Amino acid sequence: MSVRDFQHFINGEWTAPAGGGMIDSIDPSTEDVIARVGRGNAHDINAAVGAARAAFPAWRDKKPKDRARLLFDLARAIEARVDEFAKWETLDSGKPLPRSRGEVLSTARYFEFYAGAADKYYGETIPLGADYIDFTLREPMGVTAHIVPWNFPMNMIGRSVAPALAMGNTAVVKPAEQTPVTAMLLAELMQELGFPAGVFNVVNGYGTEAGAPLTAHPDIDCITFTGSVETGRIIMKTAAEHIKPVVLELGGKSPNIIFADTDLDLAVAEASKGIFSNTGQVCSAGSRVLVEARVRDAFVEKLAARTNQIKVGRGMDSPEMGPLVSREQYERVEIYMGIGREEGAEVAAGGNRPPEFEKGFFWQPTILDRVTPEMRVAQEEIFGPVLAVLTFDDEAEALEIANGVKYGLVAGIFTNDINRAMRLARDLKAGQVYVNEYFAGGEETPFGGYKQSGFGREKGLEALINYTQVKNVAIRIR
Ligand code: NAI
Ligand code: MG
């Protein structure tokens, strides 16, 4: 397979990186180089922000229905190329091919969903009495910055860029250095479809070299970031300098609470999906299972049996679980396994590198049993295929453990007791609550964090708030 080279996409053109350097992107299943992208710096960012600024007035003033049509065209064009895009997403990230397909189709769905909103997001009229007419306008922000992580490379671009463009903003995207390829394929497609130059720009590079100057640029109007708490904190501080709004979607240590009255086979299947999907590299992973004490043994036995059957393999072979995205991520999992063992957790499944692979960042699907709430493996985000199993005696204890971490992204509840489900849904500190199906929801449902999982909401109509500002016009009739 030949290695593809991509320059930055700035002002509708392929633009050589100002500093001249390139970054290798590797396939984490084989450690082979599959592509090279520009190593962006402040000069490249400056050019991209300038292009986005110049493109903004015309894009903003385009009729919403015409913006929508272009975005609908993009959705259909992404669907038409699903095989090609999925292949590259898999090569770049290690994801199993069927998962990449799903994520590419979901990217198309974001463009479709927000295209539909482009001409339907209205202002209001506000009654001030007979002598006034008062109305609100929802105006775009301007130039939007998108700092994207590596766990859902193309999908997350769709998630934030689609609502931004639909509302009349322009965008500068900085993909993750580990997984830059599909952003470039999207740029190619938008160029083909005739998106106006400068509406969508992509500058690749490292966080400190390209991400930091983007978030610090005085001429951007808002920042959407998904990634680690540490980087989120830096970005928020940087944004404070120019008083720019930020949406931060950070990590999680989300609880999946399983009561004895639930169908155990269902709970096992959903707990497995919750942690092993995308090799556990999911901000909303159900990385803590809280299981009611009296079904604990049966649950762990069934879950361990299922876990041992999961086929780990190269993304292109469509296994159930692929490798971790990078050596750093692999080492992080290894370190946390050591911490868990030291803390006294019992390994009920997995726990090691699968012996059959000489290369690639593979890790066995792993269950840490007899975890207690104060352990680091119960508190800290591992971001790999490592599940912590804790037990509780009653609902009150389950709630206390569930809420007893610094994060609050999502929570799962498995029970047949509707009142219990409703009480917990009310009391859990989480931006999304799933009852009887983990990851329930879709592009339509608002998503974001409580506590240190961040703030602001993406997905659904709720996300449009991030990419608009409201102007109130009050008119006195004389
Ligand atoms: P990161 O938060 O450093 O990287 C995410 C994105 O931010 C990348 O595009 C990166 O280039 C950019 N970035 C890094 N430093 C920046 C800076 N100073 N200014 C602007 N942009 C910057 O995450 P990393 O190092 O890849 O992963 C570390 C941990 O973060 C993971 O192990 C995981 O726990 C968590 N993480 C959470 C994600 C989520 O979905 N919430 C996604 C990715 C990572
Ligand atoms: Mg890669």
Side-chain angles (χ1 to χ4, degrees):
M1 213 198 73
S2 63
V3 175
R4 281 200 69 175
D5 279 350
F6 294 98
Q7 299 183 321
H8 301 317
F9 187 68
I10 299 174
N11 203 27
E13 286 171 7
W14 300 95
T15 310
M22 299 292 275
I23 298 176
D24 287 342
S25 193
I26 60 165
D27 174 354
S29 293
T30 60
E31 303 182 41
D32 292 338
V33 175
I34 57 153
R36 281 183 294 260
V37 297
R39 179 170 173 174
N41 62 22
H43 292 281
D44 303 309
I45 290 294
N46 205 35
V49 173
R53 174 59 60 197
F56 172 58
W59 183 248
R60 173 195 63 200
D61 295 343
K62 213 173 170 60
K63 284 202 166 104
K65 67 176 180 187
D66 293 332
R67 278 203 306 268
R69 282 176 181 155
L70 209 42
L71 294 168
F72 278 125
D73 288 349
L74 179 58
R76 296 290 89 83
I78 293 170
E79 285 168 355
R81 300 234 185 132
V82 59
D83 290 328
E84 179 198 348
F85 287 4
K87 181 195 86 178
W88 279 103
E89 196 74 303
T90 285
L91 288 172
D92 210 5
S93 69
K95 290 172 192 289
L97 205 47
R99 161 161 283 279
S100 292
R101 276 185 69 90
E103 290 175 20
V104 171
L105 294 176
S106 161
T107 307
R109 174 73 185 130
Y110 279 121
F111 283 103
E112 177 185 80
F113 180 84
Y114 290 111
D119 55 356
K120 300 176 194 68
Y121 194 51
Y122 308 134
E124 297 175 312
T125 59
I126 297 172
L128 291 179
D131 291 337
Y132 295 88
I133 305 245
D134 188 287
F135 59 92
T136 60
L137 297 169
R138 295 190 187 276
E139 299 183 341
M141 301 294 294
V143 177
T144 60
H146 306 256
I147 309 272
V148 180
W150 41 258
N151 52 346
F152 298 96
M154 191 187 213
N155 196 256
M156 289 212 187
I157 294 177
R159 185 170 92 175
S160 64
V161 168
L165 297 192
M167 292 296 106
N169 302 277
T170 57
V172 178
V173 174
K174 208 298 279 173
E177 55 272 30
Q178 297 86 350
T179 55
V181 174
T182 45
M184 309 325 291
L185 301 181
L186 195 60
E188 274 181 358
L189 195 55
M190 289 168 86
Q191 192 183 33
E192 269 176 50
L193 291 171
F195 274 73
V199 166
F200 177 76
N201 307 274
V202 186
V203 174
N204 278 300
Y206 295 112
T208 47
E209 294 178 0
L214 176 58
T215 54
H217 200 291
D219 205 27
I220 58 162
D221 296 294
C222 60
I223 303 166
T224 302
F225 170 75
T226 303
S228 64
V229 174
E230 295 71 31
T231 303
R233 189 175 286 122
I234 293 170
I235 287 177
M236 198 171 162
K237 279 186 185 157
T238 308
E241 199 57 43
H242 299 292
I243 321 291
K244 303 300 184 196
V246 288
V247 174
L248 298 180
E249 205 260 273
L250 310 176
K253 192 75 183 179
S254 297
N256 203 352
I257 310 172
I258 291 158
F259 287 92
D261 69 358
T262 200
D263 172 353
L264 264 200
D265 290 325
L266 170 75
V268 165
E270 293 292 307
S272 179
K273 176 179 87 182
I275 185 63
F276 300 130
S277 297
N278 210 35
T279 320
Q281 302 165 120
V282 183
C283 44
S284 52
S287 51
R288 291 184 295 153
V289 154
L290 279 48
V291 59
E292 192 168 346
R294 60 201 170 90
V295 291
R296 183 202 156 280
D297 291 350
F299 175 83
V300 172
E301 192 179 316
K302 277 175 185 276
L303 183 64
R306 185 186 166 84
T307 303
N308 289 328
Q309 281 169 1
I310 290 176
K311 230 189 96 27
V312 178
R314 293 175 175 196
M316 291 303 281
D317 298 334
S318 300
E320 207 173 334
M321 200 178 92
L324 292 149
V325 75
S326 63
R327 182 168 302 284
E328 292 74 42
Q329 212 49 36
Y330 174 90
E331 285 170 357
R332 182 184 172 110
V333 168
E334 210 172 25
I335 288 168
Y336 270 105
M337 281 305 302
I339 293 170
R341 286 191 167 107
E342 196 123 300
E343 290 179 313
E346 277 177 22
V347 179
N352 295 296
R353 184 188 167 77
E356 62 270 31
F357 298 100
E358 267 173 32
K359 281 189 155 188
F361 310 124
F362 295 96
W363 196 266
Q364 292 171 333
T366 297
I367 300 171
L368 292 180
D369 191 18
R370 301 193 189 279
V371 172
T372 51
E374 72 291 345
M375 289 183 187
R376 285 183 66 189
V377 289
Q379 292 287 332
E380 298 173 20
E381 183 175 55
I382 299 174
F383 226 65
V386 181
L387 176 68
V389 178
L390 299 90
T391 55
F392 63 86
D393 286 320
D394 58 20
E395 185 183 319
E397 192 189 4
L399 180 66
E400 193 185 321
I401 297 172
N403 282 340
V405 294
K406 70 178 180 181
Y407 295 110
L409 195 52
V410 309
I413 306 166
F414 287 81
T415 180
N416 284 324
D417 180 340
I418 182 75
N419 287 307
R420 177 151 65 196
M422 294 308 295
R423 281 192 301 270
L424 284 170
R426 180 191 63 198
D427 295 336
L428 281 163
K429 301 263 185 295
Q432 285 197 338
V433 174
Y434 311 129
V435 179
N436 293 339
E437 183 184 308
Y438 205 81
F439 295 132
E443 294 80 5
E444 307 84 349
T445 48
F447 179 81
Y450 280 49
K451 301 196 274 185
Q452 288 192 27
S453 291
F455 55 80
R457 294 292 176 267
E458 303 204 69
K459 303 185 169 189
L461 294 177
E462 199 74 19
L464 299 177
I465 292 170
N466 306 325
Y467 305 106
T468 50
Q469 50 193 339
V470 172
K471 180 182 281 172
N472 189 79
V473 181
I475 303 166
R476 174 71 200 267
I477 303 172
R478 296 199 186 268

